Amino acid sequence: MAASRAAPPGRAVLIYDAGCPVCRKAIAAVEASCAPGAFEYLPCGSEEASRRYPRVARTDCFRVVHLVLPDGRILAGGAAAPELLDRLPRYRWAAPLLRLPIVCSLVSLAYNAFAPNRRLIGHILFPSALEDRSPGSSR
């Protein structure tokens, strides 16, 4: 098994759909699990996200989460999972597993099946989340 490694230095940016209850819950979970300052959170379609990351198309942004790494690489959807987990001390152990080609493929398949239905699923699972304020919106 690959040795555990520390998360790469620098702040990563998560660009997410703030109108999606599942996305808001996921961002809240990331906020609760990461070291302070590990991430910056930007809602899709915000002026700030569009200005800073013009390569992230608005339609793509609302389709899947995007993770912008400190080195400028942009990962989308399931491809972002290993780097995201690398920045969560409690779940860092799982990052090497998600980098295995077969696991990576399965995660991407699952994410791509879930993503188009996440708003509906979110409204069913988290009906009270419709009134929730989006995490990270004050940043």
Side-chain angles (χ1 to χ4, degrees), residues 8 15-16 18 31 39 46 61 69 83-85 88 98 106 110 124 134:
I15 305 172
Y16 70 101
E31 280 186 304
F39 291 96
S46 69
C61 178
L69 301 176
E83 290 293 335
L84 176 69
L85 291 179
L88 303 177
L98 271 65
L106 292 173
I124 292 167
S134 61

Side-chain angles (χ1 to χ4, degrees), residues 7-135:
R11 180 183 268 200
V13 179
L14 269 168
I15 305 172
Y16 70 101
D17 181 355
C20 167
V22 173
C23 301
R24 289 194 311 266
K25 293 286 186 181
I27 292 297
V30 168
E31 280 186 304
S33 300
C34 70
F39 291 96
E40 178 180 357
Y41 309 92
L42 291 176
C44 291
S46 69
E47 188 174 309
E48 181 76 3
S50 298
R51 181 181 61 76
R52 289 175 51 195
Y53 304 105
R55 294 185 311 161
V56 177
R58 185 179 177 94
T59 54
D60 291 341
C61 178
F62 281 105
R63 193 175 52 79
V64 297
V65 68
H66 285 70
L67 178 66
V68 183
L69 301 176
D71 66 7
R73 287 182 295 146
I74 300 173
L75 304 172
E83 290 293 335
L84 176 69
L85 291 179
D86 242 352
R87 288 165 170 74
L88 303 177
R90 186 175 188 181
Y91 302 103
R92 189 170 290 139
W93 63 268
L97 297 175
L98 271 65
R99 287 187 176 96
L100 295 172
I102 187 69
V103 177
C104 183
S105 295
L106 292 173
V107 167
S108 289
L109 282 171
Y111 188 93
N112 291 336
F114 174 79
N117 303 302
R118 72 189 188 288
R119 283 179 177 246
L120 175 62
I121 293 167
H123 291 305
I124 292 167
L125 294 176
F126 312 114
S128 64
L130 295 173
E131 294 100 35
D132 287 353
R133 195 180 122 243
S134 61

